[in-house]
Structures are given as structure tokens and as C-alpha cells.
Amino acid sequence: MPSHNPTGASRRPATDRSRTLASTTTTEFESATYAKVTWRLLPFLFICYVAAYLDRVNVGFAKLQMLSDLKFSESVYGLGAGIFFIGYFVFEVPSNILLHRVGARVWISRIMVTWALVSAASLFVKTPAMFYTMRFLLGVAEAGFFPGIVLYLTYWYPSVRRGRMNALFMIGIPVAGVLGGPLSGGIMQAFNGVRGLSNWQWLFLIEALPSLVLGIVTLFVLPNGIRAASWLDERQKQLLEDNIARDEHAGAEASLRSIVSNGRVWRLAAIYFCCMMGLYGVSFYLPTLIKAAGVKEALDVGMLTAVPYAVAIVSMILVARSSDRRNERRWHLAMAAVAAAAGFYASTLHAGNLALVLFTLSLGTAGVLSMMPVFWTYPSSVLTGTAAAAGIAMINSIGNLAGFVSPSIIGWMKDVTHSTNAGLMVVAGALFVGAVLALTQRAPSVTTPAAQPSRA
């Protein structure tokens, strides 16, 4: 009768326990590594984006006084607000390719210092032609910043993590609204006439200073990539590089010509255009809409504009986490677009009711901003390397042409109809089209690493 072998019986569970322990150790190491990268990079990039977005849209607050001081019409304002994106469009692809070639540290620093100087110089505007010129130059100066950061994050994070990382970075938009609203309103109320300058002139000058300082600091704190990060050890660098290499194997390197002829890239650009119609409609006109609901004081307008952006912060995080957890992009993107369209349309039905205006604009703003981190998981899953640099910039620059179209349409329609309602309905329609286009997209490929990612 064969004897029982206790050694053999106990060996298998020991082996299983060893494998489990090794897997747990690997997961913990990976989680700790990505947490370290996130805490080193994201807070600084986030602060830079807050400063960038504040300089881009503070003209919406300047408008409250600048139009009467300079005798500008709503159409002049709308065209000037939007012409920023013509300069942005022309120079964005070259800027992103240069960032990929010369390194993020120097190029992002150059972008920030240049736009700070141009933004501050906007205080000298006297005529519509000067206004158009300064807004165009600001677009040229800032071209490449946002897509450059989106590209930069692909150097560090695989696709399975990018939804959350994009959200953490892009929360800079609503945070700029939460902080910038009260700040801009306070500057407008406190600095009018100080040293012979109007409040809108002080607004441009004061809010340019953070970008200037951050641009200089960038040279000292931002590594060009994984190998340049002195705060990572060799094992951590290898882990990050292996995960990125696995991701890039699933993507596609391509020439600039093939990108331009890629139908999927154009569809993504169209979806992003619809998203930006909503974003810049609210960014350039939210103070006007709040004031039209019966709020008179600049500081009160600024405080209330923070409400929709505060709601959007929560929404962005929840939607991005849900999208990453389920590895699902299409429906998250489409439903956010539908919510945005519904919110902006509903706001036209209650223009005189402040509470309902805030509620509907909060829904619209949250929907638009929740689209962004989910959307930007698509391009980096389709393209890699130089193709990603050019493709991301192309999608962003075409999409941001909506920043020219949206305020121009709203401004022109306000001059014609004496109301922003018609313009907001156009914006709502564009967002609904974006939802339909999102549902026609193939789901992006997501390469899941061997270890389950943390929520860092």
C-alpha cells in the first residue's frame, strides 16, 4: 500500500503562497512607483494648467468693464475672444513636435514665459485691432501647452492609467474657475482706477504673474522623461519603461501624412470640436450669464461662477474613475456630452431665475469637463512616438477652433437678438452631435499590465 507523502502534499500550497506573495510584492512595488511619479509630476502640472487656463479666459471677466470703457460691441468681444484659437491652431502641431524633439522641460518653460508676457501686455489694448492682435499672439504663445502635457503624460503612464491622470491634470480647468472667479471678481472690484489703470487692466497684469514665475520654475523641476528623473531608482525606471513599451507595441507609429489621412483621427477631432464648443461657450460667457440672471457686483459674479466649476471637479473625478475601472470609454464620453447638451439647453429656459441658471449651467459645465479626460484616452491608444505628438496636437488644434466659433456665434447672436439663448442652443446642438459621434468610435485598446494598477 503506497505510503502518504506529507512533503509532496505540503509543497504545492507553499508554491502557491510563494507565487501569491511575489505577485503581491510586485503589485505593491508598482503601486508605490506610480504613486511617487504622480506626486512628483501632477501637482506641478496641475498648477501650471490652472495658471494657463486663467490667462486664457480671464477676458470673460475683463469684458464686464472693458467693453464699456473701450466702446466694444458684443461681436467685437466674441471675435477677439475667439481669435486666440486661430493662432493656437496654426502653431500647435509644430509646437508639439518641437516639444517631442527638444524636451518638455525647456519647451514648456518657453511656452509659459511667453504667454505670461503677452497676457500682461494686453492691458495696453485700446482698439478692436489691438484687441484682436493681442488675443492672436496669446494663442501663438500658448500653442502646444495642453497637448504637450497630454503627450508628456504618455511618457510616464500606460493607457490603463491615463483616464485618471488626465482627469487629475484637467481638473485644472474647473479649479481655475473656482479660484479664478472670486480672484478675478475681487481684482475687478478692488483695483478700479488704482494708479490710473482700469480694473480690467489690473486683471491682465496681476493674473499673468503666476505663469511667469511657474515658467521659470519649470526649468528646475520638470524632468524630460523617465531616464531624466533623478528621484527614481533603476528598478523603478525599468518598470515604467517596460509598461510604456508594452503599451506602444499595441499602438501605431505613423508618418504625418498618414495621420492627416487617418479618418479616425478626423472623427476624434470632430468629437473634440463639439466638446470645445461647450467648454468655451461657458468659459467666455459664464460671468455674463450670471450677471444677466440679476447679479450686479463683480465680486458676487465671481463667487457664483465658482459653483458650476466646483460641481465639475467632482464629476470629472467620478466619471474618469468609472471609465478606468470598467475599461469603457464610448458610453462615458457620450453620456457626458448628452448631460452637457441638456444643461445648456435647459439654461435658456430659465434665464431670469438665478437658482435654476446655476443648476443648469452646473450640469452643462460638469458634462463638458467630464468628457475631456475620457476623450484623451483615445489618441494615445491609436498613435505612439512622433505620431502621437503630431496626432494629439492636430486633434487638439482642430477641436480648439471651436474656441473661435463658439464665442463668435454667441456674441453675434447676442448683438442680433439681445440674448445669449440662441447661441447656447447652438452649443447644445453641437454637444448632442458630439455624443452621436462618440458612439460611432471604436473603443480604444487598453493594455492591462500584469499587476492590477492602484488608484494613485
Side-chain angles (χ1 to χ4, degrees), residues 53 57 60 63 77 81-82 85 273-289 309 344 347 361 364-365 368 400 402-411 420 423-428 431:
Y53 200 77
V57 302
K63 169 184 183 286
Y77 166 74
F85 296 95
F273 182 93
C274 295
C275 176
M276 294 296 98
M277 283 288 288
L279 178 63
Y280 290 115
V282 71
S283 296
F284 290 127
Y285 278 94
L286 185 57
T288 300
L289 296 171
Y309 289 114
F344 290 132
S347 72
L361 289 177
T365 305
V368 163
N400 269 287
F404 173 77
V405 175
S406 183
S408 298
I409 286 177
I410 296 175
T420 55
L424 286 173
M425 288 180 183
V426 172
V427 168
L431 285 161

Side-chain angles (χ1 to χ4, degrees), residues 61 177-186 189 286-287 290 295 297-310 354 358:
F61 274 95
V178 170
L179 300 179
L183 174 63
S184 299
Q189 193 157 307
L286 185 57
I290 298 295
V295 182
E297 295 296 329
L299 181 57
D300 294 335
V301 172
M303 295 294 289
L304 289 173
T305 58
V307 174
Y309 289 114
L354 178 60
L358 276 177

Side-chain angles (χ1 to χ4, degrees), residues 281-365:
V282 71
S283 296
F284 290 127
Y285 278 94
L286 185 57
T288 300
L289 296 171
I290 298 295
K291 186 175 182 180
V295 182
K296 302 303 179 185
E297 295 296 329
L299 181 57
D300 294 335
V301 172
M303 295 294 289
L304 289 173
T305 58
V307 174
Y309 289 114
V311 174
I313 292 172
V314 178
S315 175
M316 288 177 76
I317 294 172
L318 293 178
V319 172
R321 282 183 174 177
S322 174
S323 177
D324 273 358
R325 189 179 301 115
R326 293 169 172 80
N327 281 344
E328 200 288 318
R329 311 301 186 188
R330 233 178 357 179
W331 282 99
H332 283 80
L333 183 60
M335 291 302 99
V338 169
F344 290 132
Y345 175 75
S347 72
T348 67
L349 306 177
H350 308 286
N353 187 315
L354 178 60
L356 288 175
V357 164
L358 276 177
F359 175 78
T360 54
L361 289 177
S362 295
L363 176 62
T365 305

Side-chain angles (χ1 to χ4, degrees), residues 212-281:
L212 181 63
V213 173
L214 288 167
I216 296 170
V217 172
T218 297
L219 285 172
F220 301 95
V221 304
L222 196 69
N224 280 327
I226 294 170
R227 279 290 141 192
S230 59
W231 35 269
L232 292 173
D233 62 34
E234 182 58 33
R235 188 182 170 206
Q236 290 170 326
K237 291 178 182 179
Q238 193 61 54
L239 168 72
L240 297 173
E241 289 174 340
D242 288 347
N243 285 346
I244 294 299
R246 186 184 301 115
D247 233 31
E248 290 186 345
H249 181 70
E253 184 68 70
S255 67
L256 183 58
R257 179 179 296 179
S258 66
I259 292 168
V260 173
S261 63
N262 187 325
R264 192 174 184 191
V265 171
W266 282 100
R267 191 182 297 116
L268 287 170
I271 295 170
Y272 198 55
F273 182 93
C274 295
C275 176
M276 294 296 98
M277 283 288 288
L279 178 63
Y280 290 115

Side-chain angles (χ1 to χ4, degrees), residues 87-102:
Y88 197 83
F89 171 79
V90 172
F91 288 92
E92 187 148 6
V93 172
S95 177
N96 229 35
I97 292 174
L98 282 170
L99 181 147
H100 186 65
R101 290 179 178 173
V102 308

